[in-house]
Amino acid sequence: MQWLVCLGLSFIKSILSLIFHVLQVFHDSITTFFTNQRQRHPKTPKNKKKVVVIGGSFAGLSAIHKLNHYSDELEVTLVDCRDWFEYIPGILRAFVDASYASNIVRKRSTTTTTESFVQGIAKQIERNNIIVSPTIGYNGNIHGSRRRTKAKENGSDGNEPETITLPYDYLVVATGSKHKHPTITPSIGSTTAENYKDRLRAFENEEQRIRSAKSIIILGGGPVGVELAAEISCHFPSKAVTIIQRSDRLLPSFPNETGIYVEQWFRQRNVCVLLNTTLSSHNERQCITTSGDVYTADVVYVCFGMKPNSDFMVANMNKTTAATNDDTSNNSDNDITQKNSIVDPNGFILVKDTFEIKENCTEEKNIDGTVTSANSIFVVGDVASHSSNEMKQAYYAEAHGHVVAKNILAMARASSSTTNKNNFFLESYPEIFTHDKSNEMPLVYTVSLGRYDGSLGFNGFVLNGPIASLLKWIIEYTKVMQMEGKAVGEYIWWIGDTVTLWMSRNILPPPSSTYQTKN
Ligand SMILES: Cc1cc2nc3c(=O)[nH]c(=O)nc-3n(C[C@H](O)[C@H](O)[C@H](O)COP(=O)(O)OP(=O)(O)OC[C@H]3O[C@@H](n4cnc5c(N)ncnc54)[C@H](O)[C@@H]3O)c2cc1C
């Protein structure tokens, strides 16, 4: 029976991937034809507004794809230290089967006709510029940017840029978050974080590590810990896998039906699940609980404790604060991050409902209800701290990107107008999707249990079993297409998001806010 389900799912996946591929080829041929027609009547170039997006993952890419529709009015530049992007919810399968990474990790295109790409680490934000430290080997040239080159005596030929100063009219900070394990989130500054081939190699090393281990401990029974344990126990059933979880059930952020199904699934596969177990310390080979029990294994994975990538904004802030306290030092008037209030206690950057950074934002309501705002810095995705306190999920990160793209366009159009410079309307989150400020965004999730099982949730509704895993695969396949900027992915998700939001508003509203808490 089990093999029949596997065979059936594999067959459906092959048929669907063929259909998606054919649709994309069909779309590409039609657009090539019409693009050729249009190029005979090129539009006159305008004085475009400069938009810089830091971070090219779910939030950043969703904003960029929307902004690219207005390339006549906006000049978009992406800054990211990685020359690749990936569909993060799928990476745990590549831990046990490194060849799977080719389905979900993509090298960024440097020949895109839309946005420009600067490969480097954002170091500092000033009022109208951002300072980027380019990765070794990056030698691109962005219109309007300034470069400070390395001194010749430092072993450099004097042509390599040390920093690049990028001017912006609007800035989108989409730098996301990091997990403790370096293969889950490669550390910024490491070659794995920069280079596509090194990223693929990291999965090969991880697979090797798991292969040669007899026992594995997973610390944390949230979605990351559960999916990793499931991949290991499916792929290597003979390994001794233990999950250690602080609370009284797995996946406490999701409804009970999912948590119970997952727990039973593990118990049937002899995975040891230790609930109500709090850690006092842990290292690469062992962990000690508060009750003094010691657990050892060949490999220990830490699957909890996510942190925001906001250090570079906070570093500016500390520099400025230090300068204020020291009369002899030079305080830079340009630094935008002046007070501690830019981040919440966990380091996430505080934003308004429009995703403008809360700090330094002066806002006035006009008589007709429109808002005049002086801010040109937006923060979206995992790194943002929004009052909804929602979970850190790719679905929400993309939704933020949509809102910001709309708001930037509204601001840019108003500022280019000769008459109504201060007259524009900014969209608010989640109101733009829920149509009512008091409503929440839908709770949508899929948890995979290996390749052929899983649990899917939509608001209060839960679907467990092989169909959930098939839906997760469809989401993954089409999301990768969308992240690549392929039209079929864009269309499918335009329909998918519209239907999801409509159902959430009209048929199956979100459950009480108990699930909608931060990890
Ligand atoms: C293992 C795992 C499984 C998950 N599964 C799911 C799931 O099933 N469903 C779901 O909805 N969510 C899931 N999530 C959460 C989801 O991946 C995140 O919510 C999402 O990635 C957030 O997107 P983001 O664009 O805000 O940031 P990120 O995806 O974290 O991307 C940030 C980007 O910014 C770049 N960057 C950071 N700092 C700098 C800097 N200083 N200079 C230049 N570039 C910088 C990084 O290189 C990166 O490209 C999962 C997360 C993990 C780790």
Side-chain angles (χ1 to χ4, degrees):
M1 185 61 191
Q2 179 71 20
W3 69 266
L4 208 66
V5 172
C6 301
L7 203 71
L9 287 184
S10 304
F11 178 71
I12 296 171
K13 287 177 187 177
S14 313
I15 297 288
L16 285 174
S17 49
L18 187 71
I19 293 173
F20 295 141
H21 182 71
V22 169
L23 284 174
Q24 185 61 46
V25 171
F26 179 66
H27 174 274
D28 288 348
S29 345
I30 291 186
T31 39
T32 313
F33 174 76
F34 282 109
T35 313
N36 289 342
Q37 297 278 312
R38 230 180 288 144
Q39 272 169 357
R40 289 178 205 156
H41 311 284
K43 291 191 176 170
T44 44
K46 278 189 196 170
N47 190 10
K48 296 181 185 180
K49 294 283 174 195
K50 289 183 166 52
V51 184
V52 174
V53 178
I54 314 173
S57 183
F58 292 98
L61 288 179
S62 102
I64 287 173
H65 290 156
K66 211 158 179 62
L67 291 167
N68 280 343
H69 291 301
Y70 306 95
S71 53
D72 284 359
E73 300 163 70
L74 305 168
E75 192 180 301
V76 181
T77 302
L78 166 66
V79 176
D80 200 305
C81 46
R82 304 173 177 176
D83 72 353
W84 50 271
F85 62 87
E86 65 192 1
Y87 180 73
I88 299 174
I91 61 169
L92 299 170
R93 186 154 302 151
F95 278 50
V96 294
D97 173 7
S99 67
Y100 194 77
S102 62
N103 296 326
I104 46 164
V105 188
R106 292 282 184 274
K107 197 162 163 44
R108 286 187 207 283
S109 165
T110 46
T111 55
T112 154
T113 49
T114 44
E115 78 274 8
S116 312
F117 174 51
V118 175
Q119 194 187 352
I121 302 170
K123 287 285 181 193
Q124 194 175 334
I125 296 175
E126 296 177 345
R127 175 76 58 200
N128 300 109
N129 297 307
I130 123 158
I131 316 288
V132 179
S133 164
T135 48
I136 294 167
Y138 172 79
N139 221 349
N141 207 351
I142 302 293
H143 170 238
S145 67
R146 282 179 282 124
R147 305 157 142 246
R148 203 176 72 198
T149 45
K150 277 184 183 158
K152 271 189 181 161
E153 60 269 23
N154 288 347
S156 158
D157 60 4
N159 289 323
E160 232 172 274
E162 191 171 70
T163 59
I164 298 177
T165 304
L166 283 172
Y168 68 83
D169 296 301
Y170 304 102
L171 177 69
V172 181
V173 177
T175 47
S177 59
K178 53 188 170 221
H179 275 254
K180 282 183 183 156
H181 196 278
T183 312
I184 297 180
T185 317
S187 324
I188 289 178
S190 68
T191 57
T192 319
E194 291 166 2
N195 191 300
Y196 172 70
K197 285 201 174 127
D198 285 344
R199 179 59 174 153
L200 297 186
R201 213 165 292 132
F203 289 122
E204 285 163 17
N205 294 341
E206 213 55 59
E207 182 190 325
Q208 212 42 53
R209 219 156 74 93
I210 293 175
R211 261 182 203 286
S212 49
K214 284 198 174 76
S215 54
I216 294 156
I217 292 178
I218 310 275
L219 303 179
V224 177
V226 160
E227 288 197 341
L228 181 57
E231 291 297 341
I232 296 171
S233 80
C234 264
H235 218 83
F236 303 108
S238 61
K239 312 255 179 231
V241 180
T242 305
I243 305 174
I244 298 186
Q245 163 73 334
R246 189 169 54 171
S247 68
D248 60 355
R249 68 182 183 92
L250 295 174
L251 301 170
S253 315
F254 297 149
N256 257 331
E257 293 91 320
T258 292
I260 291 167
Y261 183 78
V262 168
E263 209 180 309
Q264 278 170 357
W265 190 92
F266 279 128
R267 298 214 189 273
Q268 279 163 10
R269 280 160 185 79
N270 295 324
V271 171
C272 175
V273 180
L274 301 175
L275 301 174
N276 297 311
T277 309
T278 310
L279 297 171
S280 67
S281 68
H282 59 84
N283 61 32
E284 286 178 1
R285 287 295 177 100
Q286 73 167 33
C287 64
I288 304 174
T289 66
T290 45
S291 50
D293 296 328
V294 180
Y295 296 92
T296 53
D298 297 327
V299 176
V300 174
Y301 281 108
V302 183
C303 296
F304 60 80
M306 178 240 269
K307 286 198 172 140
N309 287 324
S310 58
D311 312 5
F312 70 104
M313 305 267 293
V314 178
N316 280 7
M317 176 190 77
N318 287 343
K319 200 181 91 188
T320 315
T321 312
T324 318
N325 294 338
D326 177 2
D327 287 341
T328 56
S329 58
N330 283 334
N331 191 354
S332 158
D333 285 341
N334 267 345
D335 279 341
I336 53 102
T337 45
Q338 305 273 330
K339 285 186 265 169
N340 285 329
S341 61
I342 87 151
V343 290
D344 71 11
N346 297 314
F348 294 88
I349 303 167
L350 291 160
V351 293
K352 305 196 314 171
D353 288 349
T354 52
F355 291 109
E356 292 158 286
I357 189 170
K358 261 195 178 164
E359 166 68 7
N360 221 34
C361 181
T362 56
E363 184 186 274
E364 285 165 25
K365 259 214 156 83
N366 302 323
I367 301 166
D368 61 358
T370 55
V371 171
T372 304
S373 166
N375 213 337
S376 53
I377 298 174
F378 297 83
V379 182
V380 283
D382 276 11
V383 73
S385 173
H386 182 260
S387 58
S388 62
N389 228 13
E390 64 196 7
M391 265 187 259
K392 299 297 181 191
Q393 283 205 320
Y395 175 65
Y396 300 132
E398 287 183 329
H400 300 177
H402 280 265
V403 180
V404 155
K406 279 192 166 224
N407 287 346
I408 287 178
L409 189 66
M411 279 180 159
R413 283 188 171 160
S415 81
S416 303
S417 139
T418 43
T419 48
N420 289 331
K421 279 201 187 316
N422 292 330
N423 216 354
F424 52 86
F425 173 77
L426 294 184
E427 299 284 0
S428 287
Y429 179 86
E431 210 176 339
I432 178 176
F433 299 115
T434 59
H435 296 184
D436 182 344
K437 201 169 168 47
S438 59
N439 284 348
E440 289 167 359
M441 285 290 280
L443 173 69
V444 191
Y445 66 88
T446 49
V447 178
S448 60
L449 299 169
R451 280 177 197 250
Y452 304 110
D453 211 334
S455 180
L456 175 143
F458 174 66
N459 291 338
F461 172 77
V462 174
L463 174 73
N464 295 321
I467 302 288
S469 93
L470 177 65
L471 290 172
K472 174 137 187 167
W473 176 85
I474 294 174
I475 293 171
E476 178 178 299
Y477 195 94
T478 51
K479 275 284 166 203
V480 172
M481 289 182 95
Q482 188 192 25
M483 289 174 93
E484 287 176 300
K486 288 188 174 162
V488 170
E490 300 266 8
Y491 292 142
I492 288 175
W493 280 102
W494 180 79
I495 297 169
D497 288 338
T498 309
V499 171
T500 307
L501 290 165
W502 182 84
M503 282 177 58
S504 183
R505 283 194 303 266
N506 300 298
I507 299 181
L508 203 61
S512 75
S513 57
T514 43
Y515 305 130
Q516 305 264 335
T517 51
K518 259 180 203 164
N519 280 347

